[in-house]
């Protein structure tokens, strides 16, 4: 009797290698019209501390934190930052300056990190249903990290915020869909709508060409997870108009998703032309519900004002891009995280 296991395994390995090559091609350093800040000779690496015991960690992720050494209030805020493919917390933090902002504004910073053993390009597996299902996989690992940080640093649970870039942006949407009451604000940067893919190959197709709406509309993947939720945190969606890695159509799908989830009519929004691009916002009596930042002359990445990128003293991350608006600074403004003493 002959078994076909060897041939099946060979085909699987060949398919996996093909996917890795396609993903690597998709995430080549982006060619952006906006200039990236040049590294300075005195680049200072941020000190992120790894925590090894924070829960069952079913997603097999790494937990890293930054806690300001001084002036931390009794109940600080927590900001969760999810990196993109081919990034590390150190590369993203060094270029975007989140740890510098944490020092200035006295909040605790949490960086979940993907392992290359889980994904060869270090992408969070936002496209795998098992990774984004409630209390399973990677979303549960991140939830456990947040809980550990809350207990250790006495976090003000009414001030937990989350943002992510690219695959991290897609995972941000999954976290909010699963645990909406946990967050006071969220930002999806160059990300994908929840439910836009079910495996790696469909994820690549959706990224390149734009995701196809699922049966029942974009709101359905979220409401199927959290059907009883009526109150959602304010969400901002960011997208470079010249993005060649994640088709800008996906940002429009993200907007449609969260408008549908919250029962907000698209026509009720307000559009404003800005020096950096276009801002669309949807508000209610109790404040901002959703905002869409469409950044002109920018490809795939997180926008940082030139002076902000320079002052971070490290710019070795091609997905942090000099622009006319700084996403980290704008998010902290929206979230009410002010400089100490102001």
């Amino acid at each position: 009797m002959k078994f076909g296991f060897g041939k099946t395994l060979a085909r699987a390995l060949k398919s996996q290698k093909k996917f890795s090559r396609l993903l690597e091609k998709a995430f080549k350093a982006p060619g952006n019209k906006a200039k990236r800040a040049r590294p300075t000779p005195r680049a200072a690496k941020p000190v992120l501390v790894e925590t090894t015991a924070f829960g069952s960690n079913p997603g097999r992720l790494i937990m890293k934190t930054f806690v300001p050494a001084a002036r931390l209030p009794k109940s600080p805020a927590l900001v969760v930052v999810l990196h993109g493919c081919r990034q590390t917390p150190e590369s993203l933090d060094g270029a975007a300056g989140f740890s510098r902002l944490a020092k200035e504004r006295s909040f605790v910073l949490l960086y979940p990190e993907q392992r290359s053993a889980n994904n060869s390009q270090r992408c969070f597996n936002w496209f795998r249903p098992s990774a984004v299902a409630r209390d399973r996989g990677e979303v549960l690992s991140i939830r456990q990290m947040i809980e550990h940080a809350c207990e250790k640093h006495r976090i003000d649970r009414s001030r937990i915020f989350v943002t992510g870039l690219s695959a991290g942006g897609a995972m941000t949407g999954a976290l909010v869909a699963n645990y909406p009451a946990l967050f006071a604000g969220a930002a999806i940067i160059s990300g994908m709508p929840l439910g836009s893919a079910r495996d790696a190959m469909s994820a690549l197709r959706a990224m390149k060409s734009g995701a196809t709406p699922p049966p029942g509309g974009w709101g359905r993947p979220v409401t199927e997870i959290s059907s009883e939720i009526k109150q959602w945190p304010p969400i901002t969606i960011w997208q470079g108009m010249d993005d060649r890695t994640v088709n800008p159509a996906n940002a429009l799908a993200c907007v449609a998703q969260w408008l549908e989830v919250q029962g907000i009519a698209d026509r009720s929004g307000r559009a404003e032309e800005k020096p950096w691009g276009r801002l669309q916002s949807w508000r209610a009596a109790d404040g901002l519900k959703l905002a869409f930042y469409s950044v002109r002359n920018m490809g795939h990445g997180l926008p940082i004002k030139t002076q902000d990128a320079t002052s971070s003293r490290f710019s070795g991350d091609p997905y942090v891009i000099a622009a006319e608006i700084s996403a980290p600074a704008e998010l902290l403004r929206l979230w009410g995280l002010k400089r100490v003493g102001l």
Side-chain angles (χ1 to χ4, degrees), residues 35 37 95-96 100 275-276 302-312 320-330:
K35 295 180 179 179
R100 174 175 55 82
W276 46 263
L302 181 146
I304 295 284
K305 267 198 170 182
T306 304
Q307 60 266 33
D308 290 347
T310 302
S311 64
S312 71
V320 176
I321 305 167
E324 293 299 315
I325 184 172
S326 174
E330 175 70 357

Side-chain angles (χ1 to χ4, degrees), residues 163-238:
T163 183
L165 170 63
S166 192
M171 188 58 77
T172 295
L175 283 167
V176 175
N178 280 284
Y179 308 112
L182 184 62
F183 302 105
I188 299 169
I189 303 171
S190 299
M192 299 289 295
L194 185 69
S196 55
R198 294 190 62 82
D199 53 41
M201 298 308 291
S202 62
L204 283 173
R205 287 194 297 269
M207 286 163 51
K208 182 178 179 180
S209 303
T212 302
W218 278 118
R220 186 173 179 179
V222 178
T223 55
E224 283 181 341
I225 296 172
S226 299
S227 58
E228 302 301 318
I229 300 298
K230 302 299 181 184
Q231 188 69 28
W232 298 87
I235 298 173
T236 61
I237 295 164
W238 298 69

Side-chain angles (χ1 to χ4, degrees), residues 6-318:
K7 291 183 179 180
T8 302
L9 180 60
R11 285 196 297 269
L13 290 173
K14 185 177 180 180
S15 177
Q16 184 177 15
K17 288 179 180 178
K18 179 182 178 182
F19 167 65
S20 295
R21 288 196 299 270
L22 288 171
L23 195 60
E24 186 172 0
K25 182 179 179 181
F27 281 94
K28 280 184 178 179
N32 298 288
K33 294 182 181 180
K35 295 180 179 179
R36 300 182 201 102
R38 296 178 180 178
T40 65
R42 295 179 294 175
K45 293 183 179 180
V47 179
L48 304 181
V49 177
E50 182 176 343
T51 299
T52 56
F54 57 85
S56 60
N57 191 17
R60 298 177 297 173
L61 303 179
I62 299 169
M63 175 181 179
K64 292 182 177 178
T65 55
F66 176 82
V67 181
R71 298 190 300 176
L72 196 65
K74 184 177 180 181
S75 298
L78 177 67
V79 175
V80 184
V81 181
L82 302 172
H83 65 79
C85 298
R86 307 184 76 180
Q87 288 183 310
T88 64
E90 286 79 8
S91 71
L92 177 55
D93 188 83
F98 279 106
S99 60
R100 174 175 55 82
L101 294 168
K103 288 180 182 178
E104 292 176 357
R105 303 172 190 234
S106 295
F107 60 83
V108 175
L109 187 60
L110 167 61
Y111 275 107
E113 181 177 7
Q114 181 62 283
R115 298 176 186 269
S116 56
N118 296 339
N119 186 294
S120 62
Q121 301 299 315
R122 298 193 301 277
C123 309
F124 289 105
N125 291 303
W126 58 271
F127 47 83
R128 291 182 181 170
S130 61
V132 297
R134 178 177 290 172
D135 296 337
R136 293 180 63 190
E138 293 179 11
V139 293
L140 179 55
S141 289
I142 297 170
R143 176 70 180 86
Q144 290 174 344
M145 293 180 197
I146 293 171
E147 186 62 31
H148 185 277
C150 285
E151 293 181 0
K152 183 174 181 179
H153 304 294
R154 299 181 180 179
I155 297 297
D156 180 349
R157 291 177 181 268
S158 69
R159 294 196 300 156
I160 301 175
F161 307 93
V162 61
T163 183
L165 170 63
S166 192
M171 188 58 77
T172 295
L175 283 167
V176 175
N178 280 284
Y179 308 112
L182 184 62
F183 302 105
I188 299 169
I189 303 171
S190 299
M192 299 289 295
L194 185 69
S196 55
R198 294 190 62 82
D199 53 41
M201 298 308 291
S202 62
L204 283 173
R205 287 194 297 269
M207 286 163 51
K208 182 178 179 180
S209 303
T212 302
W218 278 118
R220 186 173 179 179
V222 178
T223 55
E224 283 181 341
I225 296 172
S226 299
S227 58
E228 302 301 318
I229 300 298
K230 302 299 181 184
Q231 188 69 28
W232 298 87
I235 298 173
T236 61
I237 295 164
W238 298 69
Q239 181 70 43
M241 292 183 184
D242 297 335
D243 196 330
R244 299 293 179 265
T245 301
V246 172
N247 192 311
N250 292 303
L252 298 177
C254 286
V255 170
Q257 182 161 77
W258 292 104
L259 285 176
E260 287 182 27
V261 166
Q262 299 185 73
I264 301 172
D266 184 12
R267 62 181 179 276
S268 67
R270 175 187 178 187
E272 304 172 74
E273 296 301 320
K274 299 286 187 179
W276 46 263
R278 193 165 191 256
L279 172 63
Q280 292 175 270
S281 55
W282 291 263
R283 295 179 176 273
D286 56 346
L288 181 69
K289 295 298 182 182
L290 182 69
F292 177 32
Y293 292 72
S294 186
V295 185
R296 188 182 298 114
N297 297 327
M298 194 185 83
H300 187 68
L302 181 146
I304 295 284
K305 267 198 170 182
T306 304
Q307 60 266 33
D308 290 347
T310 302
S311 64
S312 71
R313 299 193 299 160
F314 182 87
S315 54
D317 191 313

